[in-house]
Structure formats: structure tokens, C-alpha cells
Amino acid sequence: MRQIWIPKAGPPEVLEIRQAPDPQPQAGEIRIRVEAAGVNFADIVGRLGIYADLPPMPVVVGYEVAGRVDEIGAGADPDWLNCNVLALTRFGGYSDVVCVPQTQVAVRPENMSATVGATIPVNYLTAYQLVCVMGGLRAGETLLVHSAGGGVGIAAIQLALHAGANVIGTASARKHDYLKQIGVEHCIDYRTEDFEKRVLEITNGDGVELVLDAVGGVSFKKSYRVLAPTGRLGMFGISSAATGKTRSRLSFLKMAAALPWFQFTPPALINQNKGVFGVNLGHLWGEMARVRVWLDTILDLYSQGVVKPVIAAQFSFAEAAAAHHYIQDRKNIGKVILIPGE
Ligand SMILES: NC(=O)c1ccc[n+]([C@@H]2O[C@H](COP(=O)([O-])OP(=O)(O)OC[C@H]3O[C@@H](n4cnc5c(N)ncnc54)[C@H](OP(=O)(O)O)[C@@H]3O)[C@@H](O)[C@H]2O)c1
């Protein structure tokens, strides 16, 4: 098999392809010939060397793949053989062959290609947990979503619009036309405008019912301040710590120092009627029965045309460094995919 390794922390160019014998599925696992693998911001944070969950380097990252099952481990259901599937992988997804517990695998709908399949697991499960499970977004409410043009952002927008909510998005200016086209009512270029001020202007001072924030640092404080009474803040990342193509301890410390360590106190939450919650899909491996229910719902929404994955760009394994640059240069509108092969 071919895999993309991170041998040491550094710029995208540290990524390297290595060959290894094909893995054999263990008990309860199935083996997938990968046709497409998703790239996530966590992979970049891992490459930078600031991702707490990352196994020690050298490491193969990758949280999701799609492809075809070609071998079944002992005790796994033989019906999986030759199925077209998508799967969550606990690292190791940047490979052309993976073995995963069958609980992390789902059959792809007939009209879903592998490339589209690889866009689904991380982005849509995260968005579903944020918007529908923990955020409880309802018709008539307003969602503020940061990094609205990214994979999770677009997934969250689709789910929010389906729920009948209004959407405000923050994103780099070049993404605004597209976001408006898909139904975002107001776009804010958070790099040139103060999003807190703009959200309060847009909502006539009322604020919003749900904010999704993976920027971290001071952004969490500002997002909390734009919540209307009964509003909820979903925190799920710290992308503002990833300021360059190599690790910056200073950026990480700045982000960490600006976190709202003392803002969300029980008296504040009670008296302001606000809620805050956290989401980390990578800490739900022990909750696959729960996650599978969400995934089945998402696949059903795909069949209904509600979930409409957007592929920003595809890169071959040999172009993995370019894929990481593409995201870090903020060029992606939607999901970035790696395709095995030369
Ligand atoms: N907790 C979880 O379970 C979970 C799961 C998935 C993702 N996440 C987090 O959610 C966030 C978005 O993930 P994603 O997969 O949707 O991202 P993505 O598709 O890779 O998009 C990244 C976008 O984030 C924006 N961004 C904000 N700060 C940035 C920075 N410092 N460097 C580069 N880009 C930056 C950029 O868009 P603009 O310039 O337009 O803002 C960029 O295009 C990330 O922080 C990720 O770690 C968390």
C-alpha cells in the first residue's frame, strides 16, 4: 500500500509517500481499497505539531476515506465484501488501503461516488452534532457560522437552512458570492470587519441563537457576546493558532491566553440565559452507536438532496503538500480530497 506520512513537524513539504505491505483486517475489522480520502484542518494542525490528539511522529493522519471493501476480518459481517463504503478512520486515512472496525463504516448510497463519500464523515457529522444534536437550531432562529466556506461551514449552512433558520457567515471576502448563492443572508469578512459589531448591526442588537466557532482565542469571547438570550455557543476548534506553514509557539500561546477562561461562569450563564458547549468528533470513538444514527440521518438527507457536498479541489497523493497549502492559503470553498494513484 501507499501512505502519506508526516515524518516530523514542518511545512507541507514534509509530507512523504512511503510503501508498506497491505494490512490485514483484525477481528471485527474490514479492509477498504481507498478511492478518496478527506483532508481536514486537524491534519494540518497535526502536521504543524500542535494537535494534542496526534500519535507520536512519524504518523499517517486522515480521519475519513471512501472506497470498496476487499477483505473481511474474523467476526466481521461477510456481507460487507465488495460494498462501496465510506468510513471514519482513527488516523491513517491518507492510505490507499485501510483496515477499520466495521462500526465506523457505512454503505454509500448508489448515486454517491467515492469522492463525494469522502466529504461526508467528518464535515457532516461535526455539523450535525453542532447544529442538530447540541445546538438544537430551530426554524426562525439565526445561526452565525465562522469559516463558513470551509467543509464544516458549508455542511452547517445546509443543515441550518433545512431547519428553516437564517444564516450569517464569516469568511474571506472571495467566498462571499458563493455563500450568498447557497442561501447565506449576510457575509462578514472577519479579517477586515469586526464581526461582533456587524452581527449586532445586522440583528438590530438582538444577537443570534447559535454560533459555531472553531477559530478559538478571542473569537470565543466575541461569539459569546453576540448570543441572544437563550443562545448557544458551540466551540469546536482553534484554527487561529495555525497562523503559518510551520508551528508558531507564539500564535498558540496568544490564542490560548485569549481563551475565555473566566467568562462562562455559572452565574454568567444562568443570569444571561446563555449556553456553551464543545464538540470533538475525535473523542467519540467509544460512541459509535450514537454516531451511526447521525450518519444514517445524514445519508438519508443526502438522498433527499438536502446534504449537497461541495468539493473544492482534488489532489493526488503525490500532491498532498499542495492540498495542505491550498487550505492554509484559505483557497478552499468546501472540501479538499486526496485521490490515491500517481
Ligand atoms: N472538533 C471537531 O470535531 C472538528 C471537526 C472538524 C473540523 N473541526 C475544526 O473546524 C474548523 C474548520 O474545519 P474545516 O474542515 O471546515 O476547515 P477547512 O474546510 O479546511 O477550511 C478551513 C478554512 O478555515 C478558515 N480559517 C480560519 N482560520 C484559519 C487559519 N488560521 N488558517 C487557515 N484557514 C483558516 C479559512 O477560511 P476563511 O479564510 O474563509 O475564514 C479556511 O479556508 C477547523 O478549526 C477544524 O479543526 C473540528
Side-chain angles (χ1 to χ4, degrees):
M1 70 170 161
R2 291 166 83 238
Q3 296 181 297
I4 302 167
W5 285 80
I6 304 177
K8 58 177 193 268
E13 286 67 30
V14 295
L15 296 171
E16 65 181 44
I17 294 181
R18 294 183 192 169
Q19 303 267 2
D22 285 353
Q24 291 305 312
Q26 303 300 302
E29 287 186 344
I30 60 179
R31 190 170 76 180
I32 302 169
R33 292 274 154 196
V34 174
E35 292 161 45
V39 180
N40 286 292
F41 205 79
D43 310 339
I44 287 163
V45 179
R47 196 206 73 232
L48 290 171
I50 55 172
Y51 185 30
D53 291 343
L54 193 76
M57 294 185 192
V59 65
V60 178
V61 291
Y63 272 130
E64 61 198 342
V65 297
R68 196 175 178 85
V69 177
D70 79 337
E71 194 138 355
I72 307 289
D77 187 343
D79 285 352
W80 283 109
L81 199 61
N82 295 322
C83 281
N84 290 325
V85 294
L86 52 79
L88 280 163
T89 53
R90 190 172 190 177
F91 302 103
Y94 285 20
S95 309
D96 62 7
V97 185
V98 297
C99 293
V100 280
Q102 61 180 352
T103 48
Q104 290 165 215
V105 185
V107 174
R108 297 199 312 268
E110 265 179 23
N111 62 345
M112 182 187 281
S113 67
T115 316
V116 171
T119 69
I120 298 272
V122 174
N123 286 171
Y124 280 92
L125 283 169
T126 305
Y128 189 81
Q129 187 182 348
L130 285 161
V131 173
C132 306
V133 180
M134 297 179 79
L137 191 66
R138 291 185 185 79
E141 292 190 327
T142 300
L143 166 72
L144 168 67
V145 55
H146 294 291
S147 307
V152 176
I154 289 179
I157 290 164
Q158 292 173 358
L159 295 173
L161 293 174
H162 180 61
N166 311 304
V167 181
I168 303 173
T170 75
S172 296
R174 62 175 287 275
K175 302 177 186 175
H176 289 195
D177 283 349
Y178 176 80
L179 291 170
K180 284 189 179 146
Q181 232 177 60
I182 64 166
V184 176
E185 211 169 325
H186 301 277
C187 291
I188 302 170
D189 179 2
Y190 64 105
R191 292 200 280 169
T192 58
E193 302 173 277
D194 177 351
F195 81 79
E196 181 180 354
K197 190 163 159 261
R198 284 287 294 127
V199 168
L200 292 175
E201 274 167 17
I202 290 164
T203 60
N204 297 319
D206 290 343
V208 301
E209 282 79 15
L210 181 63
V211 185
L212 308 184
D213 192 333
V215 176
V218 71
S219 187
F220 286 162
K221 289 181 189 160
K222 292 164 64 117
S223 291
Y224 180 81
R225 291 200 292 259
V226 301
L227 288 178
T230 76
R232 294 83 66 193
L233 165 62
M235 300 175 289
F236 65 111
I238 51 159
S239 46
S240 56
T243 47
K245 299 282 170 78
T246 55
R247 169 173 55 191
S248 159
R249 282 208 169 81
L250 185 64
S251 298
F252 187 84
L253 288 174
K254 267 190 181 162
M255 186 287 302
L259 285 171
W261 299 107
F262 307 107
Q263 272 76 21
F264 310 153
T265 59
L269 292 170
I270 293 168
N271 293 332
Q272 294 167 12
N273 286 290
K274 292 183 180 183
V276 292
F277 63 92
V279 161
N280 190 341
L281 188 65
H283 286 205
L284 287 177
W285 301 105
E287 298 290 332
M288 274 306 133
R290 196 187 295 277
V291 172
R292 275 308 301 265
V293 173
W294 305 345
L295 187 54
D296 289 345
T297 308
I298 290 162
L299 293 176
D300 197 40
L301 289 171
Y302 174 83
S303 300
Q304 292 173 36
V306 173
V307 160
K308 291 177 286 222
V310 175
I311 296 170
Q314 301 179 30
F315 295 88
S316 70
F317 270 23
E319 298 167 326
H324 278 211
H325 276 297
Y326 192 80
I327 293 175
Q328 286 202 275
D329 292 339
R330 300 165 183 266
K331 289 183 179 157
N332 64 307
I333 297 180
K335 185 80 182 177
V336 174
I337 295 290
L338 290 171
I339 307 287
E342 294 313 309

